[in-house]
């Protein structure tokens, strides 16, 4: 962390502290101390705690979108249902193991009832963005004859909703990771069996 630019160092220090203590439990001086700075010098980079918080959320949003592939083009469609399951399981591994994403989920869980922006981000990242991504994927798979013709938006909701619930279960009880991943894979396999076209 010492080799990072100061602005980023502040954000990652804030990420650790907010995930551990919540937004209200952290002051600017503590963020500065954890970033290896004196309190007043932090204000050269950010206006205050709220500015740090919003900058942190922007940084994490970019990190998550890159890691999960929310910005991928439709032409990068899975080749078949097994490919869909494999690709999605990789995204889930990233989601549950990436330190930044894990800590952010914890922050969102704590802060969604305090902040309107946090409530919107929680809905967006736990469901809406994923549903949109899979709606586009499923529409493409239907065109290719890999998935049965149906309402892609409803199928995407059916596909991602149980996964979100199971990831939250993992967050509360990480010792159940193997069980959670097994249930997610079985859910995907059942989805493929019901909606996949026999090639």
């Amino acid at each position: 962390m010492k080799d990072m630019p100061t602005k980023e160092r502040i954000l990652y220090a804030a990420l650790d502290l907010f995930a551990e203590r919540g937004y209200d439990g952290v002051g600017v001086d503590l963020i500065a101390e954890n970033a290896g700075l004196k309190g007043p010098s932090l204000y050269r980079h950010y206006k205050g705690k709220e500015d740090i918080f919003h900058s942190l959320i922007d940084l994490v949003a970019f990190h998550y979108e890159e890691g999960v592939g929310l910005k991928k083009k439709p032409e990068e469609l899975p080749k078949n249902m097994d490919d869909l399951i494999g690709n999605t399981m990789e995204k889930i591994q990233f989601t549950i193991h990436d330190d930044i994403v894990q800590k952010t989920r914890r922050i969102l869980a704590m802060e969604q009832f305090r902040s309107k922006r946090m409530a919107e981000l929680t809905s967006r990242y736990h469901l809406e963005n994923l549903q949109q991504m899979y709606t586009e994927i499923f529409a493409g798979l239907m065109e290719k004859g890999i998935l049965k013709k149906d309402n892609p938006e409803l199928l995407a909701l059916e596909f991602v909703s149980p996964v979100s619930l199971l990831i939250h279960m993992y967050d509360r009880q990480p010792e159940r990771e193997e069980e959670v991943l097994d249930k997610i894979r079985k859910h995907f396999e059942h989805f493929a069996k019901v909606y996949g076209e026999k090639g």
Side-chain angles (χ1 to χ4, degrees):
M1 194 150 113
K2 285 182 179 176
D3 298 334
M4 270 185 206
T6 305
K7 281 191 85 153
E8 275 186 45
R9 211 163 71 235
I10 292 166
L11 293 182
Y12 286 111
L15 175 68
D16 289 343
L17 290 166
F18 291 148
E20 183 186 320
R21 302 178 183 204
Y23 181 84
D24 290 335
V26 177
V28 171
D29 288 343
L30 186 59
I31 294 170
E33 182 186 325
N34 278 35
L37 304 168
K38 300 270 188 225
S41 63
L42 182 142
Y43 291 100
R44 279 188 238 139
H45 305 281
Y46 296 99
K47 295 174 193 163
K49 186 166 80 165
E50 193 162 336
D51 187 25
I52 292 168
F53 190 67
H54 291 299
S55 298
L56 173 62
I57 294 304
D58 292 340
L59 174 83
V60 170
F62 178 79
H63 176 78
Y64 179 75
E65 286 167 6
E66 288 288 305
V68 171
L70 289 174
K71 302 290 185 190
K72 277 193 173 179
K73 305 284 181 247
E75 59 266 20
E76 301 175 48
L77 287 171
K79 298 172 188 63
N80 52 46
M81 295 306 282
D82 287 340
D83 196 24
L84 172 71
I85 292 169
N87 289 345
T88 307
M89 290 303 295
E90 283 178 22
K91 292 178 191 340
I92 289 162
Q93 289 286 350
F94 170 79
T95 300
I96 66 174
H97 291 129
D98 184 85
D99 191 50
I100 293 169
V101 174
Q102 265 189 332
K103 288 174 182 172
T104 303
R105 270 199 316 277
R106 199 172 307 139
I107 294 167
L108 290 174
M110 286 188 275
E111 302 301 327
Q112 64 185 309
F113 302 106
R114 183 193 68 80
S115 155
K116 187 176 180 197
R117 184 173 187 214
M118 288 299 98
E120 288 166 358
L121 285 170
T122 302
S123 296
R124 191 185 318 159
Y125 286 104
H126 289 177
L127 183 63
E128 290 164 7
N129 282 356
L130 292 170
Q131 185 185 3
Q132 179 59 42
M133 179 176 75
Y134 281 101
T135 296
E136 291 171 19
I137 289 171
F138 290 168
L141 293 179
M142 286 173 198
E143 278 180 33
K144 290 185 163 208
I146 294 169
L147 202 62
K148 289 179 183 173
K149 297 276 186 189
D150 207 314
N151 181 323
E153 191 175 351
L154 288 178
L155 286 190
L157 184 62
E158 183 178 331
F159 190 74
V160 302
S161 295
V163 177
S164 184
L165 289 172
L166 287 163
I167 288 173
H168 286 297
M169 185 169 91
Y170 163 80
D171 285 341
R172 290 186 298 273
Q173 299 172 289
E175 69 278 4
R176 296 177 72 180
E177 178 181 345
E178 191 176 331
E179 175 193 350
V180 164
L181 290 174
D182 184 57
K183 283 182 177 177
I184 291 172
R185 181 172 283 282
K186 283 177 177 166
H187 162 61
F188 291 155
E189 288 167 354
H190 178 72
F191 182 93
K193 187 177 175 183
V194 171
Y195 297 109
E197 288 285 19
K198 305 291 182 274

